[in-house]
Amino acid sequence: MIVLGIALFALGILVSVCLHEAGHMGTAKAFGMKVTRYFVGFGPTLWSFRRGETEYGIKAIPAGGFVKIVGMTPQDDDVDPADEPRAMWRFPVWKRTIVMAAGSATHFMLGVAILWGLFAFVPLPDGEKLNEQAPRIDQVSPCVKVEWEFDPATGREKTCVEGVDPASPAAQIGLRPGDVITAIDGQPVTGWDDLTERVRAAGGREIAVTYERDGVTETKSVTLPLVERVKQSVDPDRTVASITDADLERVGQLGISPVIPKSTAGPVAAFGLAADQTVFMFERTLAALKKFPEKVPKLWAALTGEERDPETPISLVGASVIGGQLFERGMYAEILLLLASLNFFVGIFNLLPLLPLDGGHIAIAWFERIRSWLYARLGKADPGRVDYFKLMPITYVVIFIFGGFALLTLATDIVNPITLPF
């Protein structure tokens, strides 16, 4: 199942990349530019056909795709004289901008479409319904960690270790996944928040837990430990590393997590939810791009044997492996969320104003336009097009940096991959 999941997720990535290139091709053709080739994959051609002036085909290495638009730069030396009027660089800057941005726009539209379909038709956890019924247990923790600790290696709160830390009260009385907590000390439990509040307040004393299993009701008593936990009043967006002693308190803990009820939003409500999630993913992606430089040492440390920080970047191979793990666990909603986030990331990354990325071509086109406008206002002759050959050293540096980062990420995903903690 995991191999099938990896293959399906990788196929989803390949389809999105091919749609990216189709975005370039479709807009170029719409404006009258000449498109000579559209291929899925790289390397030797396995199969192709020609329709009109464009050759379509499949190549041997399914690692992406490409489209050939005649005259993407003024320095292209393979433009037939008959095609000169249709060379891309001859078209107005706004048309070239649309063509170059169409790839990223396709990623954005695909990401939004995935999110809309997810919210419209897939049953998703609905936390608001946790308080509408007695809580059903999803997982029982085998132990509890009495003292709250931060783990610098993972950037997360340390978890308990079975056999080292004390057994959880839930484990002591034999609670199991699927049990429904119906009462505490004889008082009915109305929902998860009600249960949480009463358990936290009962730290250090014995309580009676009433639960239902397979239609049979039982009551067992257990003493709740006083454990150190983050106060509920602390902003949930605070990073774990910023938690101080003033943010902690001692409360009771039972050691269970609830089954979160699921619901679908429907096609209409899904538009708003998809829009909100898109904004959230854009913000997270931009924040992640800013932190890329500080992630390099952590990737290198993981490659050389240290514990892998789950917040470090992953390659497309690593993403496919995680997709396979999610598929194996039947977590299809999470697969769609991951695929949507990858589309947003690729779309934003491609718009960075650096060659050879699409954003680099857009930046040069507008630099030429603004420079021509300024020269005209100053009464000087138009300096003409930018010479891409003079920019090649910078382009090679960009390729070297991003290529090295990609290889480092890929190697780390192979040697020390991120695995799901559940």
Side-chain angles (χ1 to χ4, degrees):
M1 289 297 291
I2 192 171
V3 172
L4 176 61
I6 291 173
L8 289 174
F9 194 84
L11 178 62
I13 295 174
L14 179 62
V15 168
S16 68
V17 173
C18 292
L19 289 175
H20 170 112
E21 299 301 335
H24 290 315
M25 178 180 67
T27 50
K29 283 178 172 287
F31 287 135
M33 302 174 192
K34 185 170 183 178
V35 180
T36 57
R37 305 181 82 196
Y38 175 85
F39 273 79
V40 176
F42 301 99
T45 299
L46 299 178
W47 172 80
S48 70
F49 70 94
R50 180 173 295 278
R51 177 169 295 175
E53 61 190 14
T54 306
E55 181 185 11
Y56 302 85
I58 298 175
K59 289 184 174 286
I61 305 174
F66 68 92
V67 60
K68 171 63 176 176
I69 305 173
V70 170
M72 282 190 65
T73 73
Q75 283 73 44
D76 282 357
D77 56 7
D78 59 348
V79 180
D80 189 290
D83 295 331
E84 281 285 352
R86 299 177 62 196
M88 181 177 176
W89 69 269
R90 289 186 173 277
F91 283 74
V93 65
W94 67 269
K95 290 186 177 181
R96 285 182 281 147
T97 300
I98 290 175
V99 171
M100 297 310 301
S104 288
T106 303
H107 282 297
F108 299 149
M109 289 188 290
L110 182 58
V112 172
I114 291 172
L115 293 177
W116 178 83
L118 178 66
F119 290 122
F121 305 112
V122 179
L124 298 175
D126 188 348
E128 294 183 0
K129 292 189 175 182
L130 272 174
N131 295 313
E132 296 179 1
Q133 57 193 25
R136 182 179 297 274
I137 297 174
D138 181 37
Q139 293 183 345
V140 175
S141 175
C143 54
V144 293
K145 191 161 186 65
V146 177
E147 303 296 328
W148 188 93
E149 292 183 87
F150 169 70
D151 187 352
T154 63
R156 297 182 177 183
E157 174 187 352
K158 285 187 177 181
T159 57
C160 68
V161 178
E162 188 175 2
V164 176
D165 293 300
S168 72
Q172 291 177 40
I173 62 176
L175 291 178
R176 302 175 188 171
D179 292 349
V180 178
I181 307 294
T182 58
I184 296 292
D185 289 335
Q187 298 297 315
V189 173
T190 59
W192 179 252
D193 286 351
D194 177 41
L195 174 63
T196 300
E197 183 179 349
R198 289 158 67 178
V199 166
R200 289 173 71 94
R205 68 176 180 85
E206 185 178 82
I207 64 170
V209 180
T210 302
Y211 61 94
E212 183 179 301
R213 178 186 298 163
D214 299 327
V216 178
T217 299
E218 294 189 52
T219 299
K220 293 184 180 180
S221 296
V222 68
T223 298
L224 298 180
L226 271 172
V227 300
E228 197 173 41
R229 291 294 178 266
V230 178
K231 295 176 181 178
Q232 291 182 306
S233 59
V234 173
D235 185 350
D237 292 331
R238 282 268 301 276
T239 61
V240 178
S242 69
I243 298 298
T244 65
D245 289 342
D247 300 316
L248 303 174
E249 62 179 347
R250 290 200 174 272
V251 296
Q253 185 175 25
L254 185 58
I256 62 172
S257 61
V259 173
I260 302 177
K262 295 184 177 182
S263 64
T264 55
V268 176
F271 284 107
L273 293 172
D276 292 340
Q277 186 67 24
T278 297
V279 172
F280 173 74
M281 286 185 167
F282 265 70
E283 291 174 348
R284 290 289 300 271
T285 300
L286 292 172
L289 284 171
K290 292 178 182 178
K291 293 182 179 180
F292 259 30
E294 66 187 64
K295 298 297 184 181
V296 173
K298 293 183 178 181
L299 279 171
W300 180 256
L303 182 62
T304 54
E306 293 187 17
E307 185 175 358
R308 178 77 181 266
D309 181 351
E311 298 297 323
T312 49
I314 56 176
S315 65
L316 294 181
V317 171
S320 297
V321 171
I322 292 177
Q325 295 173 8
L326 293 171
F327 185 84
E328 183 184 35
R329 291 161 174 76
M331 303 176 69
Y332 307 119
E334 287 76 6
I335 292 175
L336 292 175
L337 280 172
L338 179 59
L339 190 58
S341 66
L342 278 174
N343 273 282
F344 290 136
F345 173 81
V346 174
I348 292 173
F349 180 80
N350 231 359
L351 290 178
L352 293 178
L354 300 168
L355 288 176
L357 303 176
D358 294 339
H361 291 280
I362 294 172
I364 290 174
W366 281 100
F367 170 77
E368 291 174 340
R369 183 69 184 86
I370 293 171
R371 186 178 63 173
S372 296
W373 181 83
L374 286 175
Y375 271 59
R377 292 296 180 273
L378 296 173
K380 297 182 177 181
D382 190 334
R385 303 290 184 180
V386 168
D387 187 345
Y388 274 70
F389 291 122
K390 293 181 179 179
L391 296 176
M392 291 309 295
I394 299 176
T395 303
Y396 289 141
V397 170
V398 172
I399 293 174
F400 176 79
I401 293 174
F402 286 140
F405 186 83
L407 289 174
L408 174 61
T409 307
L410 176 60
T412 308
D413 283 336
I414 295 173
V415 174
N416 190 0
I418 293 176
T419 56
L420 298 178
F422 45 83

